[in-house]
Amino acid sequence: MSDALKLYDAELSSRLMLGTSLYPSPAIMADAILKSKAGVVTVSLRREAGNSRAGQSFWSLVKGLNTHVLPNTAGCHSVKEAVTTAQMARDVFETNWIKLEVIGNQDTLQPDVFGLCEAAEILCRDGFDVFPYTTEDLSVAEKLLRCGCKILMPWGAPIGSGRGLNNTFGLRSMRAHFPDVPLIIDAGLGVPSHAAAAMEMGYDAVLLNTAVAKAGDPVAMAQGFALAVEAGRLSYLADAMEPRDMAFPSTPVIGQPFGKDSFGA
């Protein structure tokens, strides 16, 4: 049975999504993405330099990776800025997909959830397939879905922090509350075990950048995350055992041919 992930109009065989910034070189970035077999890569319009297309060589490199491209509105702090950036990105990257970021706090890069919902409503009406970078707040999530979003992307931790899943209770609650909505952990993952934990929780995919790009060996780290995502997904599908407070023998004593007194003990 296929376990492909359906996101809007695309079916993906990989549940790992990678960013394209901060790598030591474009060649290392390309190698990391190819070796990990990531299903989606995110690209900032600023990297492409807008309508001037000054980053045409970079864009050509990304297109050659043969993966789905998800433009983002990284660095936008207002609804107007995010909407304008999304519209420009659609022209440059020739896709209706957009990872919508509206930043509310400069220190934590936490989403401005009010501006996010406003911008999401505008972009959904304009025909965009919106991937909103949000928090684990259920009321915000419900509003984003009402706006027309069909995917939610809650943060694991602040962007680039590498702290993993800061609020596992909130993330588990979101997964339980929206069982049929694709949920993607976006931001804050630092090591492959963080990705495995998210997938074991039932999340559909993970998106990260800094943990791979700033690793000593980005290619090896990208492959590590790919394996962790696969392992976590398999664990979730296998319906892992629940933790116990007490030990439970894997080899029961009852029914064995020798009891504790068999040798005169």
Side-chain angles (χ1 to χ4, degrees), residues 12-18 36-41 66-69 97:
L12 309 175
S13 58
S14 171
R15 294 169 181 268
L16 174 64
M17 304 179 176
L18 290 178
S36 70
K37 300 180 180 179
V40 173
V41 295
N66 195 30
T67 187
H68 292 272
V69 174
W97 281 19

Side-chain angles (χ1 to χ4, degrees), residues 113-148:
V113 294
F114 304 104
L116 178 68
C117 291
E118 184 179 346
E121 186 171 17
I122 293 169
L123 293 174
C124 287
R125 284 202 309 262
D126 195 24
F128 281 89
D129 297 328
V130 178
F131 294 66
Y133 166 61
T134 184
T135 66
E136 63 274 25
D137 188 295
L138 298 183
S139 60
V140 174
E142 288 173 342
K143 186 166 185 179
L144 287 168
L145 294 174
R146 288 197 299 270
C147 288

Side-chain angles (χ1 to χ4, degrees), residues 46-65:
R46 286 164 171 76
R47 188 68 177 271
E48 182 64 14
N51 289 336
S52 69
R53 296 182 183 249
Q56 197 60 249
S57 60
F58 174 77
W59 177 218
S60 297
L61 177 62
V62 170
K63 286 196 291 187
L65 297 174

Side-chain angles (χ1 to χ4, degrees), residues 121-196:
E121 186 171 17
I122 293 169
L123 293 174
C124 287
R125 284 202 309 262
D126 195 24
F128 281 89
D129 297 328
V130 178
F131 294 66
Y133 166 61
T134 184
T135 66
E136 63 274 25
D137 188 295
L138 298 183
S139 60
V140 174
E142 288 173 342
K143 186 166 185 179
L144 287 168
L145 294 174
R146 288 197 299 270
C147 288
C149 298
K150 296 181 180 179
I151 291 166
L152 297 171
M153 302 180 71
W155 64 348
I159 293 171
S161 67
R163 298 188 63 84
L165 306 178
N166 271 356
N167 183 2
T168 55
F169 174 80
L171 292 172
R172 289 184 187 278
S173 297
M174 176 174 270
R175 178 69 284 176
H177 197 75
F178 302 106
D180 300 321
V181 176
L183 299 181
I184 302 167
I185 293 293
D186 177 15
L189 304 186
V191 291
S193 59
H194 295 157

